[in-house]
């Protein structure tokens, strides 16, 4: 079946530190992979996505590369800011199951000045 | 214009009451969803509708009944509310394609006393 496993939080970093949030997946087909971000009191919004192996998604300084050989889609940012404090969700969408999305458990990030 | 809008944003009610949450999307998407997010931020799919037809109906109590009058609307009605129903409920929509992303509403925080 399909599933997503992501690093448990919470994660606390100082401003300008390097961020990695690990995400691995299991899928029966050829999924698209996503990172969503949820700021306090808001809904989830797409941060970045990758639709095939070796694609790199990037947005707002965040990056993630679709690695089929390791079934991973780790999120990275070189220098985090206080405004990056949020909950981050890794997700996949498998074309074999139509529009069904599978989410990880979320990783809470707090960036301190 | 808000892409996915849901009302009300906050709902406080007593156990045993019946309540509804409404959702509308103006993106022209074919598929709409309801998700439940618990206090630990874990996101669980409840229902999915494609062109007004039920596609996904995860194991939720039958006190929860979704209704889709047209493909732009998906409402959630909950009967006989219980304490455990307290959560944030998110509506979302997507285009019916392999790489379509999910667009979320801002959430409806339900508190059952």
């Amino acid at each position: 079946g399909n599933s997503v496993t992501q690093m448990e939080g919470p994660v606390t970093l100082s401003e300008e530190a390097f961020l990695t949030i690990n995400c691995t997946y299991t899928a029966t087909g050829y999924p698209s992979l996503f990172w969503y971000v949820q700021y306090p009191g808001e809904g989830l919004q797409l941060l970045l996505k990758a639709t095939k192996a070796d694609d790199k998604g990037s947005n707002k300084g965040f990056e993630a590369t679709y690695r089929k050989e390791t079934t991973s889609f780790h999120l990275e940012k070189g220098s985090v800011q206080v405004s990056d404090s949020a909950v981050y969700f890794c997700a996949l969408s498998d074309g074999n199951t139509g529009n069904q999305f599978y989410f990880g458990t979320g990783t809470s990030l707090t960036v301190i000045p | 214009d808000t892409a996915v809008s849901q009302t009300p944003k906050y709902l406080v009610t007593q156990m045993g009451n019946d309540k509804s949450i409404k959702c509308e999307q103006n993106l022209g998407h074919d598929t709409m969803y309801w998700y439940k997010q618990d206090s630990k931020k874990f996101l669980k799919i409840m229902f999915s509708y494609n062109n007004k037809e039920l596609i996904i109906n995860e194991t939720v109590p039958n006190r929860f009944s979704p209704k889709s009058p047209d493909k732009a609307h998906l409402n959630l009605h909950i009967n006989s509310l219980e304490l455990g129903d307290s959560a944030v409920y998110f509506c979302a929509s997507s285009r019916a394609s392999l790489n379509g992303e999910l667009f979320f509403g801002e959430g409806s925080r339900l508190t059952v006393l």
Side-chain angles (χ1 to χ4, degrees), chain A:
Chain A
N2 297 318
S3 66
V4 174
T5 303
Q6 67 180 97
M7 181 174 127
E8 285 200 22
V11 174
T12 302
L13 294 174
S14 296
E15 211 165 17
E16 299 183 5
F18 184 85
L19 168 71
T20 300
I21 301 178
N22 289 337
C23 172
T24 56
Y25 68 89
T26 303
T28 53
Y30 301 94
S32 294
L33 301 174
F34 306 84
W35 276 101
Y36 281 83
V37 59
Q38 183 179 24
Y39 298 104
E42 298 184 12
L44 282 74
Q45 53 186 278
L46 181 69
L47 180 59
L48 53 84
K49 71 177 185 182
T51 58
K52 61 183 188 298
D54 300 325
D55 267 2
K56 178 187 281 188
S58 61
N59 186 25
K60 300 182 181 179
F62 291 88
E63 293 183 341
T65 301
Y66 189 141
R67 302 278 188 208
K68 191 176 176 186
E69 63 276 13
T70 53
T71 61
S72 65
F73 193 55
H74 304 321
L75 182 68
E76 295 183 337
K77 185 173 185 182
S79 176
V80 293
Q81 305 301 312
V82 172
S83 57
D84 294 326
S85 298
V87 181
Y88 293 82
F89 293 88
C90 186
L92 74 82
S93 171
D94 183 347
N96 287 340
T97 54
N99 283 28
Q100 192 163 357
F101 288 77
Y102 300 82
F103 281 86
T105 51
T107 302
S108 175
L109 169 67
T110 300
V111 180
I112 53 178

Side-chain angles (χ1 to χ4, degrees), chain A residues 99-103, chain B residues 32-37 42-49 56-60 90 92 102:
Chain A
N99 283 28
Q100 192 163 357
F101 288 77
Y102 300 82
F103 281 86
Chain B
M32 295 184 72
Y33 311 76
W34 277 109
Y35 284 85
K36 179 181 180 180
Q37 186 175 48
F42 182 69
L43 207 59
K44 179 184 174 184
I45 180 73
M46 300 176 70
F47 302 102
S48 167
Y49 268 73
I56 298 170
N57 183 4
E58 292 295 314
T59 308
V60 299
F90 286 100
L102 273 176

Side-chain angles (χ1 to χ4, degrees), chain B:
Chain B
D1 259 359
T2 304
V4 181
S5 59
Q6 49 183 114
T7 55
K9 191 166 184 179
Y10 298 97
L11 193 52
V12 181
T13 189
Q14 301 285 334
M15 277 177 56
N17 284 349
D18 303 338
K19 290 294 176 187
S20 292
I21 306 172
K22 296 185 176 181
C23 179
E24 174 182 5
Q25 54 95 3
N26 63 6
L27 298 167
H29 287 167
D30 306 286
T31 309
M32 295 184 72
Y33 311 76
W34 277 109
Y35 284 85
K36 179 181 180 180
Q37 186 175 48
D38 63 22
S39 58
K40 295 184 179 179
K41 302 295 185 183
F42 182 69
L43 207 59
K44 179 184 174 184
I45 180 73
M46 300 176 70
F47 302 102
S48 167
Y49 268 73
N50 182 269
N51 280 321
K52 303 195 301 174
E53 293 198 14
L54 183 64
I55 303 299
I56 298 170
N57 183 4
E58 292 295 314
T59 308
V60 299
N62 57 16
R63 298 181 294 104
F64 291 79
S65 53
K67 286 199 170 43
S68 182
D70 55 61
K71 75 174 194 177
H73 295 84
L74 180 61
N75 303 323
L76 183 65
H77 188 75
I78 316 170
N79 289 328
S80 303
L81 280 157
E82 300 177 357
L83 293 177
D85 297 333
S86 295
V88 181
Y89 292 85
F90 286 100
C91 179
S93 71
S94 73
R95 194 176 301 279
S97 69
L98 173 61
N99 301 324
E101 66 183 81
L102 273 176
F103 289 79
F104 283 85
E106 292 190 342
S108 297
R109 179 176 293 277
L110 171 65
T111 302
V112 182
L113 303 175

